[in-house]
Every structure is written in structure tokens, then in C-alpha cells.
Amino acid sequence: MDNAMKRTKIHVLRQLENSPGQVLVKGWVRTRRDSKEFSFMEINDGSCLKNIQVIAGQDLENYVQIQAVSTGSAVSVEGLLVASPGKGQKWEIQAQRVEIINLAPDSYPLQKKRHSDEFLRTIAHLRPRTNKYGAIFRIRSEMAFAIHQFYNKKGFRYLTTPVITGSDCEGAGEMFRVTSLSPEAVKKSGIMDFKADFFGQESNLTVSGQLSAEMFAMALGDVYTFGPTFRAENSNTSRHAAEFWMLEPEMAFCDLQQNMDQAEELVKALSVHALENCEEDMDLFLQFVDKSLPDRLNTIIHQPFARLSYTDAIEILQTSKKEFEFKVGFGIDLQSEHERFLAEDYFKKPVFLTDYPKTIKPFYMRVNEDDKTVAAMDLLVPGIGELIGGSQREERLDVLEKRMDEMNLPKESYWWYLDSRRFGSVPHSGFGMGFERFLMLISGIKNIRDVIPFPRTVGSIDF
RNA sequence: UCCCCAGUAGCUCAGUUGGCAGAGCAAUUGGCUGUUAACCAAUGGGUCCGCGGUUCAAGUCCGUGCUGGGGAGCCA
């Protein structure tokens, strides 16, 4: 290859106002059509949704081989960038040299037509080469960056909390056990001897970085964690995965209202960021994936989210004419149908529900003056359900210890957590947002498996 | 884990009261052509998800298992 020539990515080429003349592109052939004296090749290099059209003429020395280039093949093309006389594209490349880097056999599974999401899940290693999956994974990348940018601008510090944890009762669901004990040794002795295990005690994959984040909020002020989270729940739905990414901001000197303000600002800012920075990829979803998406995003960005207490929500559900499968009443956790009714039918926009009964919420949430409810907040969004769960944390040592006693939690193993309430305890709040659920919200993709590069779910860990 | 639905060519699907296994797209070959998921023609392509049963005969009916999808629970 000509080392003097530098490769230009297709997203750069497509934005050019004037032709630089000679260009070099490398990518994969999406489709090829023959004409009388030349071949049309559409090349995609993953830098953007769109392809660049290459005109490979019969005067090329390897024209016979070029005519055999199949969908999925990798090529390197050097030629002149010229205005395209055809419709549908501004530029095209008049090839002077086409190097076939790799010829894909006709068994290449991706065809020049629409494939079902279910089929593409069975070839998760190849699906990012399609328009839709290429688009969502570019958006996923951009959104991860946007999260860091959002909090960096606000003066938050990024905190990486442990993936392996020693606490076995964080109460957020079933946990994956981490061990270095060999199955043979365990079978032989008949017991899991945790004292002989790597950490000398039971250890698990994290279900939340919140407790760690609270410690750092008491030191650095405003922090956030953003990383992988693991749940060993046997849940088989389109909204759950065993491994997912969660964003968890934690803020000192912050009450429940300010917590909701933060969450609402975040969701709005990220949505705007997606539309402004992933315009071409977002258009694919706005136009073809979910017809209701433009309205939904417009509502999210421009309308204030609804805010009401759990008690008021129960009132609305009880007085609504809608027939529910499950009865509602104070003290009962809301069912999916209730949450959907509130977000999709009643308010038709994201809804914060606050002040849930303390009996259905974790120990760390701040007990309200009524001693019946806690300063919790869940953000319910149309189409997804719960996107965010958060609370003002219980900063009063005596109240917190009483709650832990009520819930039979071993205070001694939370000694360090309780220390934060002993030494300079202040009101503070935080929340967790499922990153994949947010991606589903802004893309209209209906299954969480389709916004994760290689999803891990019950009974499925291929790739 | 529970409820419902599905599994037929590489992909998407049709297949009637049980009676010879089908279509479109893809692939291959040829034709045509500054084409846009190009077009036209021909050809090849099957463990009808697995196992067991009913029947003269099962893609079709029954049982069971597996896989996938939708919903519920749990949650982010």
C-alpha cells in the first residue's frame, strides 16, 4: 500500500464542502451493483451511518476480481472524490485502485435486506455491521461520553466503586458469588469454606455503588459512579439484564427536591445531547424504529416532569375509571400496569413518584415526619417504566440504626457506613439510572438485549 | 419462576377437514443497465426444533423436552 496516503474516514468525507482530490478509504462492502463498464460499491467503515459510493471501472487491473466482491468483504479504495452525478449522494469515489483486503464468502449471514432483531441477536458478533445496530452503538458511546461531560461541567467527581464487594445484603436483588475456591475442593470437603476463600469471607459482584458513593459524597461533595452492575435475578423480560451499566450520582447537602431537579436536568440534557450530536443515527430511530419517538423526546425535553407523592398516585389510581388487574391501596407496591397508566395514560410524560411507604423501601432512605413514608423518588417514563430510583438518605444515626434493627440488618458489617453518620453527617441524596433503559428511551428500541453489545441474561452468555 | 404465542430453505413466512414440501428475498449462472434493498431469466437449496405416541398415512393431532418472543413478578 501507498504509505504516503492517509486514510480518510467516511464521516469526514461526507461532510466535505470541496473535494480534496485524491482520497483513500478503507471499509466493508455493504452492497455492490454492476453496470456496463463499471461496478458500484457501497463502502461503510463504521464511522457513520451512511456509505460512500465507489465507482470501480473496467480499466482497473483487478476488475474481474472486483466484480466478484461480495457483501461483507473488506476493501481499500484509492481514488478521486468527485461530485456524484447520481441521486442520493453528494460525493462518490472514482477508484484508481481497489485492494480486496478480504473476500467474504457467500455464507456471510447479513444480507442486503432487513433482518429481525431476534435473528440478529443470534449473530451478536456481526450485528454492529448493520445500520440499526451500528447506529445504537455509536449513540451508546456518545451517551457515555455525555454523562461524563454533564457531571464534569457541574463539578462532580467521577468515582469508580468496587465491582467485587464484601457486603452480602445490599438488598437490591440476588447477587453473583465471587470465589476462587475450586469446585472440586468444595465437593470434596462438602462446604464452602469462605475463610479459605480469596478474600477470607463471602464476596459478590456489586449490585450498586451507592453505599461507597455516599462515603465519597461526604468527602468530595458531589460524586457519581458509572459502571457495570450485576443482578443474578431470574428475570426474563425485555427490560432486565444480568449485567448492565448504572449511573449513580450522590450529592452532599442535597434534599429530595434538589435530587429530582438533578435527575430531570440530566435526562433532559442527555436527550438534547443525543439529538444534537447523533443527528444522523437518531434520525434512523426517529423515522423508522418508533413513530412515537419524536413526540416522546419532545415532551421529555420541553415539558416539566410530573411530580406527585405515592399517596396521591394511589388516589389517582383508585378514582380512575381504568380497570386494573391488581387492586391498589396504601402500603402496596405499584404494579407495572399502575406505573404505565400514570406515565402513559394519565400524565403522558415522565413522572416522579415520591414518599413511598417505608415498608416497601430499603433501610437507607430518609424517614419522613409522618414516620410512615420515606423520602424516595422513582422516575417512571412512558414505554420503559422505572428509569431512575433514588432517595434522600437517612443522615440521622439513631433513626438509621432503628431502621436497620427493624429490618434485621447486621449493623456491625455496616460499621463504616454508620461512621459517616457519626462524623459530620449531613443531608444528602442520590439516585441510580439504568444506562440501557435510558438508551431504550431515546432510541425506541424495545428490548434491552439490543442496546448492549453482548448481552448477558438468564441462561444466555454466548459471545 | 408463572401465563400466553411461536419454531418449515441462508433470511422472512405460507402450508386448508391429516394425503407428493411452497413463495418472496438471498445464493449460483446468464442477460441488461449511472445504479440506489437495481432490474429480467434460469438453476441449486429441506433432520418441517429434538424425543416419544396416535394413524394405512403426521409439517399438520397428542405428550414431553429444548430454543426464541410477548406479558407478569423482581428491579435500574
Side-chain angles (χ1 to χ4, degrees), chain A residues 8-232:
Chain A
T8 308
K9 290 196 175 181
I10 289 168
H11 79 105
V12 174
L13 281 189
R14 290 183 55 87
Q15 287 168 5
L16 290 175
E17 289 296 320
N18 303 299
S19 171
Q22 194 86 355
V23 293
L24 170 66
V25 299
K26 299 184 181 190
W28 295 270
V29 175
R30 282 293 178 83
T31 172
R32 191 185 55 77
R33 297 176 286 274
D34 282 327
S35 186
K36 194 172 184 180
E37 295 173 345
F38 50 86
S39 200
F40 294 102
M41 275 193 293
E42 295 220 23
I43 315 295
N44 187 287
D45 67 1
S47 63
C48 60
L49 182 69
K50 297 284 169 51
N51 310 320
I52 189 85
Q53 176 165 283
V54 170
I55 312 297
Q58 61 183 358
D59 51 321
L60 291 168
E61 57 172 10
N62 58 343
Y63 189 61
V64 175
Q65 285 83 0
I66 288 168
Q67 282 185 304
V69 167
S70 52
T71 300
S73 297
V75 295
S76 171
V77 176
E78 203 178 323
L80 283 175
L81 190 72
V82 297
S84 175
K87 285 176 184 168
Q89 63 277 320
K90 181 180 180 185
W91 298 112
E92 65 185 23
I93 297 173
Q94 289 283 351
Q96 292 161 338
R97 185 164 59 168
V98 175
E99 183 198 350
I100 300 163
I101 299 171
N102 179 265
L103 192 66
D106 57 31
S107 56
Y108 183 62
L110 293 173
Q111 299 173 2
K112 291 179 278 186
K113 63 164 209 170
R114 197 193 161 274
H115 286 294
S116 67
D117 293 324
E118 291 80 5
F119 171 67
L120 291 170
R121 254 169 245 155
T122 69
I123 50 168
H125 57 308
L126 298 175
R127 67 178 179 169
R129 301 188 192 191
T130 65
N131 286 340
K132 179 176 167 182
Y133 288 88
I136 190 60
F137 292 125
R138 275 187 298 271
I139 291 170
R140 183 182 170 117
S141 167
E142 184 63 30
M143 286 299 96
F145 168 73
I147 283 170
H148 288 296
Q149 189 184 47
F150 178 85
Y151 283 115
N152 181 269
K153 277 186 183 167
K154 284 183 164 296
F156 281 54
R157 304 300 179 176
Y158 174 46
L159 170 70
T160 54
T161 51
V163 168
I164 303 173
T165 79
S167 50
D168 58 353
C169 42
E170 289 182 44
E174 289 295 310
M175 302 178 88
F176 285 104
R177 200 177 298 283
V178 173
T179 181
S180 62
L181 295 174
S182 75
E184 292 77 21
V186 172
K187 195 181 277 181
K188 202 173 162 188
S189 65
I191 53 154
M192 287 283 291
D193 183 8
F194 294 113
K195 285 205 175 80
D197 204 349
F198 190 90
F199 296 106
Q201 65 176 77
E202 271 192 78
S203 50
N204 300 287
L205 292 181
T206 184
V207 293
S208 165
Q210 180 200 316
L211 301 191
S212 311
E214 283 188 53
M215 302 305 102
F216 270 68
M218 295 298 105
L220 305 185
D222 294 330
V223 300
Y224 68 103
T225 77
F226 181 42
T229 309
F230 306 88
R231 303 279 166 88

